[in-house]
Amino acid sequence: MTTRTAASRAAARHPAPLGRVRGICRSAASPTALPAASLAQPSFRRSAGYRLLALLPLFPLLLLLALLPLLGACNADSPRRQEDATAPGVTDDAIHLASSLALTGHASYLGVQTLRGALSYINHINDTGGVHGRRILLTAVDDGYDPPRCLANTQRFLIDGDVFALFSYVGTPTTMRVLPLVEEARIPLVGMFTGANGLREPFNRYVFNVRASYYQETKAAVRHLVRDLGLTRIAVFYQYDAYGFDGLTGTEIALRELGLAPVTRGSYVRGTTKVEEGLRRILAADAQAVVMVGTYEPSARFIRLAEQAGLRAVFHCLSFTGAEELARLLGNAPVNPVTMSQVVPPPRAKETPDLLAAAADYVQLLRRYFPDETPNTIGLEGYVNARILVEGLRRAGRDLTREGFVQALESLRDYPLGGSTYVSFSPESRQGMNQVYFTRLHDGQFELIRDFREVHPLPAPPPVAGQEASPGQDAPAGSDSVPGQGSVPGQGSVPGPSHESAPDSVSAPNPGRTPTLSGAEQSPRTDAAPALSPAFPSASSPALSPASPAFPATPGSAEARP
């Protein structure tokens, strides 16, 4: 008979809960009971099993620490992939773009025509199904060609709006102002109406220039003036801001390459037509040609006053001036040659189908969507920008992201626009075209120049008895300064309307003094018509390939919204 102690009998009557019985250790994973005495042995404490049991509570933490490097490697592609995952501005049926440009004010013609040229293609694409089933909605906001307003507009696009990309900005000082925002937000900026070098250097991954630069325009113009016409006394009249400085610098570089320098410089303040100060300097320097880096109103006034002052020179304007509006303001009044460089040919010129066949599509679509508008070079440039935008969206595919769109644009190689015009980008290049064309004002419109050697300034008239031979010779010449400050000293220094209140009337020129004009009657050849060929293309310029059909088979889209 087994003798039981009082303690054992009590334990039998009141069993302890599982795991709390003295001398027993039980784990949830293994219900096998181990004598407590065995766990206390030094040999078991040194065993591998004991160590594993001790580390079990730390296992989740150790696993997390081991996975951290792998998680970091997955996200090592920079924030671009994280941002693109949300695809801002993209919905199931729409792609939202935004534009800040001059729709009112002294440069409104440039902004309105750029926008309508782009919309003529965007609306066509939307009406034919969009890009991968999405319409393009373009929000265009007026900035009056004012950099602070452009900056504020862009900030609202990025902060308040849901915008996939920026498109069709107009102007150098305005577009340059938003570059830090573009870089910070990593948002594509495509198809600007400006040839500023600051949009090309330093390289910016998100900025895509379609057109040739102002440096290319001024280089080609200076070489024609010097080599074809034999002119050496070349002055520069420029807008006193980033746009004017860019054109001035390009002209100075081009002259320096030929061993020359500007004979003088004159400027005016953006948004004004106070050109007298710059005009006095150029009259005093007896310039043979004036490279003009301005907009249409001050440029037209400068030309009128210069001719009234007796200046005999070639007036050459850059493409941003606005050819059609300058021609409207000048009419048939100029006696001296007025030329202009362009990055696209006049849309209805006889030679244009061989140069840029897509111009015919622009004319047709502009008539459909904006029947009251007249085709012009500015609108054609906006149309070309829209073609490139849509092609990039098409190549990016249905799963649209900003990064995918950038890579799609980079894939453009010799994209044909018909005739001799092709567009190419690459991971290292952000300029699509290099062509520069030259036009001359004739019968109230700018026509293509086939041979620049036919453009000659008029000879200076012989001095009249009792008058000085050189008009404006007593005008002060000094270092450049901001013009338009105070009254014009010396009322006789600029013959004609030297006061702001005086009318800008010009007496009718003598038709017999008008030089023979070279029209665009014959089709230009690249070997015989340098004015129509690409302006000094680099060695890496793409070879020409067959032209594309009038409308690409692949759809794209875009649409304006108020």
Side-chain angles (χ1 to χ4, degrees):
M1 182 175 179
T2 304
T3 303
R4 302 174 65 183
T5 64
S8 63
R9 288 194 299 271
R13 288 193 300 268
H14 304 286
L18 180 64
R20 295 187 61 187
V21 178
R22 291 187 62 184
I24 298 294
C25 177
R26 190 183 299 271
S27 69
S30 176
T32 304
L34 298 175
S38 65
L39 295 178
Q41 296 298 324
S43 60
F44 184 81
R45 290 176 179 272
R46 290 193 298 267
S47 68
Y50 181 84
R51 294 192 189 97
L52 287 175
L53 288 174
L55 290 176
L56 280 178
L58 299 176
F59 181 75
L61 178 61
L62 295 175
L63 180 62
L64 178 61
L65 292 175
L67 291 177
L68 281 178
L70 298 177
L71 294 175
C74 292
N75 292 321
D77 294 285
S78 81
R80 291 176 188 161
R81 182 169 298 177
Q82 299 176 17
E83 293 177 1
D84 287 341
T86 60
V90 179
T91 65
D92 288 341
D93 59 358
I95 303 169
H96 295 269
L97 309 177
S99 175
S100 179
L101 67 173
L103 300 177
T104 61
H106 61 280
S108 59
Y109 178 81
L110 307 177
V112 169
Q113 296 306 318
T114 301
L115 179 62
R116 290 181 176 176
L119 289 176
S120 64
Y121 185 69
I122 287 173
N123 291 340
H124 162 71
I125 293 300
N126 284 341
D127 289 346
T128 55
V131 180
H132 299 297
R134 295 188 178 103
R135 299 170 66 82
I136 298 178
L137 305 179
L138 177 59
T139 301
V141 180
D142 179 34
D143 61 29
Y145 193 38
D146 181 56
R149 289 176 63 184
C150 181
L151 179 64
N153 289 343
T154 306
Q155 288 172 331
R156 285 195 294 270
F157 295 154
L158 299 179
I159 296 173
D160 301 332
D162 190 16
V163 176
F164 174 73
L166 305 176
F167 172 67
S168 195
Y169 275 47
V170 171
T172 299
T174 46
T175 309
M176 290 292 296
R177 193 67 175 269
V178 305
L179 281 185
L181 297 181
V182 171
E183 183 72 19
E184 178 68 21
R186 297 186 175 93
I187 184 171
L189 173 61
V190 182
M192 297 72 66
F193 181 50
T194 168
N197 192 62
L199 297 174
R200 294 156 173 82
E201 296 178 0
F203 177 85
N204 190 319
R205 173 177 175 79
Y206 300 97
V207 177
F208 287 84
N209 303 280
V210 178
R211 55 168 288 151
S213 70
Y214 294 143
Y215 279 18
Q216 290 173 295
E217 286 190 54
T218 52
K219 182 175 183 177
V222 165
R223 292 196 175 189
H224 281 307
L225 293 172
V226 174
R227 293 179 174 177
D228 292 343
L229 304 185
L231 307 180
T232 58
R233 300 182 62 79
I234 300 175
V236 184
F237 177 70
Y238 62 98
Q239 184 169 283
Y240 198 83
D241 66 358
Y243 162 49
F245 299 151
D246 209 65
L248 171 63
T249 301
T251 305
E252 290 176 334
I253 292 173
L255 287 170
R256 189 182 308 126
E257 291 176 352
L258 299 176
L260 299 172
V263 65
T264 191
R265 304 166 182 84
S267 62
Y268 74 97
V269 173
R270 182 182 68 242
T272 74
T273 58
K274 297 179 179 180
V275 302
E276 288 84 357
E277 181 70 20
L279 175 61
R280 280 201 303 271
R281 295 196 179 101
I282 292 173
L283 289 175
D286 194 24
Q288 298 170 311
V290 183
V291 176
M292 305 181 66
V293 191
T295 54
Y296 46 88
E297 287 186 349
S299 296
R301 189 163 192 269
F302 179 93
I303 293 171
R304 287 195 298 262
L305 293 180
E307 291 205 334
Q308 291 181 13
L311 182 63
R312 297 295 182 265
V314 175
F315 299 107
H316 179 77
C317 306
L318 297 192
S319 59
F320 189 79
T321 306
E324 289 74 17
E325 194 66 3
L326 181 65
R328 183 187 68 82
L329 292 171
L330 291 176
N332 294 320
V335 176
N336 292 282
V338 178
T339 62
M340 184 179 295
S341 47
Q342 300 284 3
V343 297
V344 293
R348 293 192 290 192
K350 295 178 181 180
E351 300 86 351
T352 298
D354 295 329
L355 302 171
L356 180 61
D361 306 332
Y362 158 68
V363 172
Q364 175 186 347
L365 293 176
L366 186 72
R367 185 182 302 116
R368 178 188 306 172
Y369 294 105
F370 301 96
D372 295 333
E373 287 292 346
T374 301
N376 55 82
T377 53
I378 299 172
L380 177 55
E381 187 173 338
Y383 172 87
V384 169
N385 290 340
R387 286 279 296 262
I388 301 307
L389 169 82
V390 169
E391 181 63 18
L393 294 173
R394 182 189 69 80
R395 295 189 182 200
R398 173 70 184 177
D399 297 329
L400 185 60
T401 64
R402 287 177 176 174
E403 185 63 22
F405 178 56
V406 168
Q407 294 174 356
L409 287 174
E410 289 177 339
S411 72
L412 288 179
R413 298 288 193 281
D414 297 340
Y415 175 73
L417 291 173
S420 59
T421 303
Y422 299 81
V423 178
S424 293
F425 292 114
S426 74
E428 297 79 29
S429 173
R430 288 296 185 269
Q431 179 166 302
M433 302 190 304
N434 295 290
Q435 287 89 345
V436 173
Y437 307 90
F438 286 88
T439 58
R440 178 178 180 172
L441 183 61
H442 181 216
D443 288 340
Q445 63 182 358
F446 280 89
E447 300 177 347
L448 282 170
I449 298 174
R450 185 175 184 277
D451 189 345
F452 211 95
R453 290 170 295 182
E454 297 181 9
V455 179
H456 283 293
L458 296 176
V464 179
Q467 295 185 3
E468 297 177 357
S470 177
Q473 66 182 12
D474 60 341
S479 59
D480 291 339
S481 62
V482 181
Q485 306 297 327
S487 60
V488 179
Q491 295 182 7
S493 60
V494 181
S498 59
H499 305 288
E500 280 296 318
S501 58
D504 287 341
S505 60
V506 181
S507 57
N510 181 357
R513 298 175 59 189
T514 305
T516 303
L517 300 176
S518 60
E521 291 80 8
Q522 302 183 35
S523 236
R525 300 195 314 268
T526 55
D527 56 343
L532 297 178
S533 24
F536 314 107
S538 63
S540 60
S541 296
L544 301 184
S545 55
S548 63
F551 290 100
T554 306
S557 71
E559 169 181 83
R561 64 176 180 179

